[in-house]
Amino acid sequence: MMDKLSQLGATPIDQPLKAKMQMLVDLEAEVGRLPDDYRNLLMHFGGDIEFHSSIKFHADEPSPWAAEDRTDSLEILYGLKSKYGLSMLRMVATYKGRIPAGWIPIGEAPGGNQICLRIYPSGSSQSVEFWDHESEVGPGLPPSGDGLTKVASSLQDFVNRLTPENPPENSPRAVKIDLRF
């Protein structure tokens, strides 16, 4: 899983192991124990998981925002620490009470939609799903699972589906503009 993400451009941050471990402890104090593969991913990369190019994936159930080829896009996977203010702890706090219980946001799709990981109930099957923020219910109402569409049956399966999004064949890669009059 780490190799696949690295091939797509993800690089670990330079952060002492002790500091990363404390951030993980703080996160798990808020959400409970995370699945081992996700804990390992967070500890390996530490910070934001960014990519060299746009990333797409084929989901088991395409979201309402899927492209014509039935793929969805991924902008970033959240880390323990973030240079953009998108740390896991902050994103969990942002979406608490908005995303159904038992799910945490682990990445962002275009338009503020979230990629979510099922973390409990304990013993339940792990799943990664796309959360359409347009399905959010009104203030004071419990979150609904209506906006969740299944992406993959596990975190490993999700990462395996990530691919670079290639620009259309006939689109220019660079444009030269001459502004001399």
Side-chain angles (χ1 to χ4, degrees):
M1 184 165 36
M2 308 315 170
D3 289 342
K4 169 76 179 220
L5 290 170
S6 295
Q7 289 169 5
L8 294 170
T11 56
I13 63 167
D14 185 22
Q15 183 79 15
L17 180 61
K18 187 175 180 177
K20 287 194 281 190
M21 185 55 85
Q22 184 58 54
M23 288 183 270
L24 181 62
V25 166
D26 293 345
L27 175 61
E28 289 186 325
E30 183 66 29
V31 301
R33 175 131 175 124
L34 296 169
D36 287 341
D37 57 352
Y38 190 55
R39 295 176 96 241
N40 293 338
L41 182 144
L42 290 172
M43 289 297 293
H44 179 80
F45 289 105
D48 305 308
I49 298 176
E50 298 180 270
F51 307 102
H52 291 307
S53 64
S54 297
I55 298 296
K56 65 179 181 176
F57 57 90
H58 282 275
D60 287 349
E61 302 169 23
S63 78
W65 302 103
E68 286 181 17
D69 65 357
R70 300 175 50 91
T71 59
D72 281 293
S73 297
L74 174 67
E75 293 181 343
I76 193 170
L77 289 172
Y78 307 130
L80 293 169
K81 186 175 180 176
S82 176
K83 59 186 171 192
Y84 306 111
L86 302 172
S87 71
M88 274 301 302
L89 196 57
R90 183 163 184 188
M91 299 316 292
V92 164
T94 297
Y95 289 101
K96 188 174 187 172
R98 296 171 61 190
I99 290 176
W103 295 90
I104 57 168
I106 63 168
E108 187 165 332
N113 297 309
Q114 299 297 303
I115 303 302
C116 299
L117 177 67
R118 184 176 184 83
I119 56 167
Y120 63 88
S122 182
S124 65
S125 61
Q126 192 183 66
S127 183
V128 175
E129 303 209 6
F130 181 102
W131 181 68
D132 176 8
H133 79 91
E134 299 293 337
S135 68
E136 195 169 359
V137 296
L141 298 173
S144 162
D146 291 345
L148 291 168
T149 53
K150 187 171 183 181
V151 173
S153 59
S154 69
L155 183 62
Q156 178 70 56
D157 187 19
F158 171 65
V159 169
N160 288 342
R161 295 175 187 217
L162 300 178
T163 59
E165 192 168 358
N166 297 321
E169 288 183 27
N170 295 331
S171 67
R173 296 193 190 270
V175 177
K176 180 179 178 182
I177 300 174
D178 185 354
L179 297 175
R180 289 180 285 165
F181 295 98

